[in-house]
Amino acid sequence: MQKNEKIYAEKEAEDFLKKYIKVADSFLTKDMKKAAVFAKKIGYPVVLKIISKQALHKSDIGGVLVAKNEDELKGAFDCLLKITKKKKIRIDGILVQEFVKGQETIIGIKKDPVFGHVIMFGAGGVLTELLKDVSFRVCPIDDKDAEDMINDLKAKKLLFGYRGSKPVNIVVLKKTLVAISRIALRRKDIEEMDINPFIINDNTGKVADARIIFSR
Ligand code: ADP
Ligand code: MG
């Protein structure tokens, strides 16, 4: 990151994004009891994550854990705090997040020197990177562009129902892509935005991790 840039780690990025698109429900805290109260309220399983600008790639340091009940939450919370102490990472807190079932997709925005803001879409973690199976359009896009972006992907079958899995809600997915492409119109200061994953199922779709870089 350069000096003239400002970065939003997951929680800040999601608070920014929830004005525009659906984001997994979450609560940031350093207090395990408060984490347990929130988890009980939204229901298990929940995902627990280390939130820190010093650890932007959370799973690389073992900073993402799933808890199926309160006992597991306590164990996971302790474990994450231990990691941050051992690695001397200053944290904003531990994020307790709703577990979202569905197909993982990647949605991003980048500022291109020639085209201005472009939106990127890909459908599925490891596969996406390996096959460079992504689609790009100049922002903003409309519903038809969003449909074309989905159809561009080799991995589109993952979205249309695959080996007995239900097709994802394509209407929600298209609306989300259009909405994200429009954020760039209002916020020229976005240098880069990574939503990875945006998890989509037959009913809904939600941001489950995001990172944004703004220019100052
Ligand atoms: P990282 O900083 O390593 O990218 P993520 O927050 O993306 O961390 O979490 C890593 C992985 O854990 C995701 O790619 C996804 O597979 C899974 N995951 C994260 N959050 C959720 C969630 N709320 N519901 C379901 N799976 C999740
Ligand atoms: Mg991620």
Side-chain angles (χ1 to χ4, degrees), residues 7-145:
I7 190 154
Y8 277 8
E10 174 166 0
K11 180 59 176 166
E12 274 181 306
E14 287 173 353
D15 285 344
F16 170 85
L17 283 169
K18 71 184 173 198
K19 290 176 275 181
Y20 306 98
I21 54 173
K22 282 192 183 175
V23 169
D25 200 2
S26 74
F27 178 66
L28 186 69
T29 183
K30 290 178 183 171
D31 181 337
M32 192 204 287
K33 280 188 197 136
K34 286 184 183 160
V37 170
F38 180 76
K40 197 171 177 185
K41 192 183 100 191
I42 63 166
Y44 287 95
V46 295
V47 183
L48 297 178
K49 303 179 185 181
I50 291 172
I51 301 297
S52 166
K53 285 196 169 52
Q54 294 167 297
L56 293 173
H57 299 280
K58 301 173 290 289
S59 28
D60 287 358
I61 57 158
V64 179
L65 295 171
V66 178
K68 292 193 290 293
N69 53 52
E70 190 164 326
D71 276 349
E72 286 189 11
L73 176 135
K74 287 177 178 165
F77 205 96
D78 267 343
C79 174
L80 294 179
L81 288 182
K82 272 189 193 132
I83 291 172
T84 63
K85 276 182 194 130
K86 200 172 157 204
K87 296 197 179 285
K88 298 195 169 65
I89 293 168
R90 202 160 7 92
I91 56 165
D92 298 337
I94 302 295
L95 192 70
V96 186
Q97 188 178 53
E98 162 190 12
F99 185 96
V100 187
K101 282 196 199 118
Q103 183 61 44
E104 292 189 15
T105 67
I106 298 176
I107 306 173
I109 290 179
K110 267 202 176 70
K111 202 185 255 174
D112 181 272
V114 177
F115 297 108
H117 280 122
V118 292
I119 179 168
M120 185 270 280
F121 176 60
V126 188
L127 211 68
T128 308
E129 283 185 44
L130 206 68
L131 303 174
K132 307 227 179 309
D133 185 22
V134 287
S135 178
F136 290 93
R137 291 291 184 283
V138 174
C139 295
I141 60 165
D142 63 16
D143 190 81
K144 175 70 171 66
D145 298 322

Side-chain angles (χ1 to χ4, degrees), residues 177-194:
L177 288 168
V178 171
I180 290 171
S181 80
R182 300 188 67 84
I183 297 174
L185 287 184
R186 295 212 213 165
R187 295 297 300 252
K188 303 282 182 210
D189 56 337
I190 294 176
E191 285 299 316
E192 211 178 299
M193 181 165 97
D194 277 303

